[in-house]
Amino acid sequence: MLRKTFQGGVHPADGKEFARNIPYRVYLPKGDLVFPLNQHIGKPARPVVQKGDLVLTGQLLAEADGFVSANIVSSCSGKVKAVENRKTVAGPSVPCIVVENDGNYTLAEGIGTENDATNLTSQEILEKIKAAGIIGLGGAGFPTHVKLAPKNPREIEYVIANGAECEPYITCDDQLMRTKGSEIVEGLKIMLRLFPNAGGVILIEENKPEAIKAMEQACAGQEKIHIRAVHTKYPQGGERSVISVIAGKHLKLGMLPADAGCVVDNVATVHAIYRAVCKSEPVMERGFTVSGDGVKSPCNLMVRIGTSFAEVLEEAGGIREGVKARKMLCGGPMMGIALVSPDVPICKNNNALTVLTTDPVEEAEKTRTACLRCGRCNQVCPLGLTPQMMAVAAEKKNYERYEKKLYGLECIACGSCTYICPAKRPLMQLFKQAKAEIMAAKRR
Amino acid sequence: MQGIVIATLIVGVIGLLIGAALVAAGKKFYVEVDEREALVRECLPGNNCGGCGQAGCDAAAAAIVNGEAEVNVCPVCNEKAIQEISAIMGVDGVQTVKKRAFVRCAGTCEKTSVKCNYVGIRDCRSAVMSGLPVWECDYGCLGFGSCVEACAFDAIHVRDGAAVVDPDKCTGCGRCASVCPKNLIELLPGDAKAAVACSSKARGPEVKKACSAGCIGCKLCTKQCEAEAIQVENNLAGIDYDKCVGCEKCMEKCPAKAIVRP
């Protein structure tokens, strides 16, 4: 029997009703576009343009610096206004390329030409993916050309397109699967060419029946590609949860998905691979959800990379009248990053803006007590860790115990423990800090 | 009667044998300990603060005796203790430079204001990791007191949202400096006469908007200084403590009063 879910997890209110049935609208930004050089995991890209240069849509702005790094292309045409430090979602100012948008979106040469992917070699496919600057569009931002080049491609059993979209409020992948199903299947077929012994799996949570139907139609007649509808539970979309459902394997400390014979990519990434290989289009735009009870008209947009959050919020009608927006998040409420101001650019791996009229964190602060030792965090941890004991070790700064005895570095910071905790302990923040301090000590 | 005699004999013989074995083992496994190590350890303060870079005062004493560390490695020891250690080790003419911590930020609640409502863990490092700008100034003291927790001498406290060092209690071990995520705490030479209480590298107008006690990089101090001890780099004044004569003209001229007597 096929497995339907993983061990642990929580069922937060999903809030998907706000935007799930609203089809994509293309939004072309009016203001300047900002491209942070460190949108991906790895070394920041190296700029290849200077202040005053004229750039076209799809032209390379910064190239990958080293193996684990990614190209960044312009998503509008215009003049490079500056290469300077700007604020980003994560907080601190980082070097960014600012392009003054001329509003014409003149395409650079060669962008959008159709290609036949069937006679490309693996190497050529990987080069096209690298040139297009594709990174994990689901949120992690790991360069895709690195992920798709494991040591032994013949040992890969499953190539998984992850359409779980377990994060509450976000619906952009749902809409992508409903409208661009056949293109996702084409993208997955291109990926399968890299792994001769692998089968393709598209994983979707059961709360998206329309997407499941659309994808089933799109891959009718494909022998190597299957759809797997799984139970709706957070964090189903996490890489390790996906692998435990599809391959039935639990990754141990330090193991990569390739070690379990899996390659997992978000459906948006798979779609970007199709566009890069078959249409010669680099990552210039992405699906983006503006949602939450504080937004006037929640919607799904096709936005250009580099657009400011303020602009897309305006496109969604702004803040609903008569309410006060208490919390603005880049991403969803479980793993999203709080924004102090919406004047920051959308990066390749940002998939949503959520505006809430309540601030659960602030309310949790008021009712916080000492740990009750109820053990619910241990039950919901999708990795089988013991957050209750990890929290004690992290609070006492007993990092040796945290790392060696409790395997605290395995934590993926999904926030399930913090969500379920009746004592409202700030568990995820403790773990994030402990991880950062242990990693810093290791680098020293 | 006979039983008692036998028992006494057996116990006595076993006792003698074990005693002999212990004496033999003690001779065989004797570890030579430098008696200077105990003497040096006597001179060290015994706080085990770790300011010297060793695991504690015992480890520091061993390192000094083995020649792995200088005799003045302990930043906490006063001059007399250093002289005693030099005498034990037979080293002459050791200079002691007493250091003390200084927080390069004067952004108290009345000088700057809170920008966002941070409700997470009350720890500076957690606040920095959250990426939220807690105060208007990006460079300044967060005031959650990671340094207070680190200090073994009760010499640093948060007052009105910014950390302040008590110069009488500070021993200059540098533990607070190593935990400050904003790198605000500097170890000054003990006789420093002036110091800049700001770390903002932002441009003047931005600093002015964020904090009324911030260095705006106007260079008035550089022009005033006759000893040429102040240089402005990255919009921030820096003092060369060797050159500074303590005339305090810079303090009078500084529009933000960002240069202070430490």
Side-chain angles (χ1 to χ4, degrees), chain B residues 32-46:
Chain B
E32 201 142 335
V33 183
D34 199 327
E35 70 267 14
R36 291 180 302 173
E37 199 175 310
L39 293 173
V40 171
R41 174 64 188 77
E42 285 288 296
C43 303
L44 293 173

Side-chain angles (χ1 to χ4, degrees), chain A residues 87 90-91 338 340 361-362 365 397 426 429-430 432-433 436-437, chain B residues 116-121 123 125-126 129-133 138 149:
Chain A
K87 291 255 174 206
V340 176
V361 183
E362 208 180 318
E365 172 91 350
K397 309 231 184 291
Q429 203 188 2
L430 276 172
K432 271 190 169 178
Q433 189 188 337
E437 286 190 16
Chain B
C116 85
N117 183 16
Y118 172 79
V119 288
I121 302 167
D123 183 286
R125 287 158 291 184
S126 301
M129 275 192 55
S130 73
L132 296 172
D138 277 352
E149 210 179 292

Side-chain angles (χ1 to χ4, degrees), chain A residues 27-322:
Chain A
Y27 175 68
L28 293 176
K30 288 158 199 84
D32 296 347
L33 272 73
V34 181
F35 302 92
L37 294 176
N38 67 345
Q39 303 189 16
H40 45 267
I41 289 178
K43 216 171 163 197
R46 189 174 52 231
V48 293
V49 291
Q50 285 173 344
K51 187 181 171 181
D53 286 1
L54 286 173
V55 293
L56 298 173
T57 313
Q59 190 180 328
L60 189 68
L61 288 179
E63 63 176 2
D65 190 7
F67 184 57
V68 184
S69 186
N71 287 348
I72 293 166
V73 299
S74 177
S75 47
C76 69
S77 55
K79 201 160 118 187
V80 177
K81 206 171 171 183
V83 180
E84 61 180 17
N85 281 11
R86 288 276 182 111
K87 291 255 174 206
T88 56
V89 168
S93 295
V94 297
C96 296
I97 297 173
V98 186
V99 178
E100 194 177 348
N101 183 4
D102 66 5
N104 296 330
Y105 296 95
T106 323
L107 284 176
E109 209 177 317
I111 304 291
T113 47
E114 303 259 342
N115 275 322
D116 188 7
T118 46
N119 44 25
L120 291 174
T121 64
S122 314
Q123 204 53 44
E124 282 168 338
I125 292 173
L126 284 175
E127 260 160 35
K128 274 184 185 291
I129 290 170
K130 187 177 178 189
I134 300 178
I135 62 172
L137 299 181
F142 190 75
T144 302
H145 64 273
V146 182
K147 202 185 221 180
L148 294 184
K151 266 186 218 123
N152 196 347
R154 298 195 154 268
E155 280 175 13
I156 300 295
E157 274 177 80
Y158 300 99
V159 176
I160 304 162
N162 180 1
E165 201 165 54
C166 56
E167 181 81 35
Y169 291 94
I170 306 179
T171 52
C172 56
D173 288 351
D174 185 3
Q175 278 298 326
L176 190 76
M177 287 187 284
R178 288 198 216 178
T179 52
K180 303 275 165 74
S182 55
E183 294 182 5
I184 293 170
V185 173
E186 287 302 314
L188 193 52
K189 275 160 76 181
I190 293 167
M191 287 168 75
L192 284 172
R193 302 250 323 275
L194 301 171
F195 307 106
N197 300 326
V201 180
I202 300 167
L203 178 133
I204 311 171
E205 277 189 350
E206 279 166 346
N207 64 352
K208 302 179 220 357
E210 297 91 346
I212 295 172
K213 215 171 145 202
M215 291 310 298
E216 267 168 358
Q217 276 171 7
C219 65
Q222 301 287 344
E223 278 175 18
K224 283 180 88 177
I225 299 177
H226 302 280
I227 309 285
R228 277 284 287 276
V230 295
H231 289 326
T232 305
K233 188 164 74 174
Y234 180 89
Q236 178 60 67
E239 201 166 47
R240 292 180 174 222
S241 311
V242 169
I243 292 166
S244 99
V245 171
I246 302 290
K249 287 176 187 161
H250 292 280
L251 294 186
K252 294 205 185 73
L253 188 71
M255 271 169 84
L256 295 173
D259 299 327
C262 293
V263 168
V264 188
D265 265 315
N266 187 273
V267 284
T269 316
V270 177
H271 186 239
I273 290 172
Y274 162 77
R275 289 179 72 170
V277 177
C278 297
K279 297 267 170 116
S280 308
E281 282 177 7
V283 186
M284 296 186 295
E285 57 179 12
R286 65 156 301 139
F288 192 86
T289 305
V290 188
S291 186
D293 56 359
V295 177
K296 193 174 175 194
S297 50
C299 56
N300 294 302
L301 300 170
M302 209 31 111
V303 298
R304 297 278 166 159
I305 309 297
T307 313
S308 85
F309 279 86
E311 248 185 272
V312 293
L313 181 58
E314 209 170 284
E315 174 65 16
I319 311 280
R320 199 150 54 90
E321 285 103 8

Side-chain angles (χ1 to χ4, degrees), chain B residues 1-10:
Chain B
M1 188 61 202
Q2 203 184 6
I4 294 172
V5 174
I6 293 171
T8 315
L9 277 175
I10 290 174

Side-chain angles (χ1 to χ4, degrees), chain B residues 188-261:
Chain B
L188 300 181
D191 57 352
K193 294 171 192 79
V196 182
C198 180
S199 301
S200 175
K201 292 187 177 122
R203 288 182 304 116
E206 286 168 38
V207 176
K208 249 190 161 155
K209 229 180 349 181
C211 176
S212 63
C215 170
I216 52 174
C218 66
K219 299 193 180 171
L220 271 177
C221 47
T222 314
K223 284 170 201 149
Q224 284 301 313
C225 186
E226 283 158 17
E228 292 180 357
I230 309 183
Q231 289 300 325
V232 174
E233 222 174 285
N234 292 332
N235 305 315
L236 180 62
I239 296 178
D240 186 334
Y241 303 110
D242 294 337
K243 286 184 187 166
C244 176
V245 293
C247 67
E248 300 194 352
K249 278 183 186 158
C250 50
M251 297 182 199
E252 283 161 28
K253 272 285 167 191
C254 179
K257 301 284 170 235
I259 303 178
V260 295
R261 238 171 274 134

